[in-house]
Amino acid sequence: MAHPSGGRLAELTRTAVVRAAALTGRVDPATTDSAALASLLYRAGGCVPDGRLDPRWARHVVTAAERTAGSGLTGHRRSVARHWHSWTATDADPTTLVHKIYVSPTVRDVATTLGVILTHAPLLGVPAWKVGADLAGLHRPDKIVLYLASADRADRVASAFALALGGFAAQGVPFTGQVGATGIVSRGRDVAGTSWRADVCRMVADSLCATRVTLGLQASAADVADEALAQLAAHGLDVETWHPAPDEMVESRSAANLSAMSSPVTVRADRRDATSSAARAGASLETPAPRRTRAEVTCS
């Protein structure tokens, strides 16, 4: 199976899969914990917070971004949970907001990029989004997530932000579909009320464990990864770009059918290119010049 061609995020994803495949070769395949492996895959791409950082910095970043956005946020309710700061439009139905846009700048650029996002998300009609509430949250790859009700609208908004934020370094979210050239923006879609990345990581972990049993402990990590991904691709999951399936394909499968499948594969790719209208929207966003913040990141 050829190496994935879905951009930087696809390469990050493949690296995570090969490393997970290597772990399956260190123990008896029959005793491998697929759930633990899925959890490890889900955390791929995260960074360890610098212990010298003031824990209050995360809150300061959000407060500064809100000041930048100003009155544009008046149509959104603000809520704070243990791990997330969230904004939701007062007229939004959260149950319909299944299309996800991940924005993943490096930690040092969070302050600047978050100001851009909070300013322009309401202008682009984004009904809801969330931001990591603490240092750990701002060091995870999926530190900023926007939610929309339609795939077409999510694609357009994602393309707009990819253009606007293309000058910033990307941390990047593995197991998501890259939008734009750098990987700072990517796409996903929740299915049956469960997380896109959690579902995909579970599928990959299950396939890796099953493939290791078939190929044996002596098989190389790359061979196990390639065969596991090939099996997922044969059942419809896009293992090259990791984009979510079109709405009509997802909606044709009930949650019961998905959970009953012996194979962990449930979706295939929707490889949409950026539309010209989205490009025009992105070109209109004003992005300030990057500036240094107090945050430091311990991985590239």
Side-chain angles (χ1 to χ4, degrees):
M1 179 178 176
H3 285 203
S5 57
R8 176 175 176 267
L9 297 189
E11 291 298 330
L12 290 177
T13 302
R14 175 176 170 76
T15 298
V17 173
V18 172
R19 289 175 177 174
L23 292 177
T24 66
R26 296 182 179 180
V27 296
D28 181 351
T31 65
T32 300
D33 187 343
S34 178
L37 197 64
S39 179
L40 185 67
L41 289 168
Y42 184 83
R43 296 194 301 271
C47 294
V48 178
D50 188 329
R52 297 168 296 179
L53 282 174
D54 188 332
R56 296 172 295 181
W57 176 80
R59 174 58 186 160
H60 168 74
V61 166
V62 173
T63 300
E66 287 181 311
R67 285 199 298 265
T68 298
S71 61
L73 298 176
T74 55
H76 288 72
R77 292 188 302 270
R78 167 73 180 282
S79 61
V80 180
R82 180 180 177 185
H83 298 296
W84 297 100
H85 295 290
S86 302
W87 293 258
T88 305
T90 55
D91 59 350
D93 177 2
T95 64
T96 67
L97 305 180
V98 297
H99 295 278
K100 305 173 88 164
I101 300 172
Y102 301 93
V103 184
S104 184
T106 57
V107 178
R108 70 171 55 194
D109 286 333
V110 166
T112 304
T113 55
L114 189 56
V116 174
I117 293 165
L118 265 61
T119 297
H120 293 286
L123 299 176
L124 292 171
V126 180
W129 60 88
K130 65 182 182 182
V131 179
D134 54 17
L135 289 181
L138 294 184
H139 282 74
R140 59 187 288 165
D142 54 343
K143 64 194 74 192
I144 304 168
V145 187
L146 291 74
Y147 295 85
L148 293 98
S150 78
D152 180 68
R153 189 62 187 157
D155 288 342
R156 291 172 180 267
V157 173
S159 294
F161 276 119
L163 286 173
L165 302 175
F168 294 93
Q171 183 170 339
V173 186
F175 302 101
T176 64
Q178 181 168 324
V179 179
T182 68
I184 195 170
V185 176
S186 56
R187 286 273 284 109
R189 187 205 195 280
D190 289 347
V191 179
T194 60
S195 161
W196 163 257
R197 290 200 309 124
D199 273 349
V200 172
C201 290
R202 175 184 55 79
M203 297 174 196
V204 173
D206 288 347
S207 188
L208 285 172
C209 291
T211 301
R212 175 61 73 182
V213 170
T214 300
L215 298 185
L217 289 174
Q218 300 307 312
S220 71
D223 286 345
V224 172
D226 283 345
E227 179 59 25
L229 293 179
Q231 291 296 323
L232 294 171
H235 286 84
L237 181 68
D238 178 0
V239 298
E240 292 188 354
T241 74
W242 301 92
H243 274 273
D247 281 351
E248 59 272 16
M249 179 169 286
V250 172
E251 291 167 1
S252 68
R253 297 170 174 149
S254 67
N257 287 337
L258 295 182
S259 62
M261 292 177 66
S262 58
S263 168
V265 184
T266 59
V267 294
R268 85 171 164 81
D270 177 16
R271 305 176 190 176
R272 291 190 175 95
D273 294 326
T275 62
S276 59
S277 59
R280 287 194 295 272
S284 68
L285 302 189
E286 297 179 1
T287 306
R291 64 177 183 271
R292 283 190 174 275
T293 74
R294 293 177 58 196
E296 296 295 335
V297 65
T298 58
C299 65
S300 59

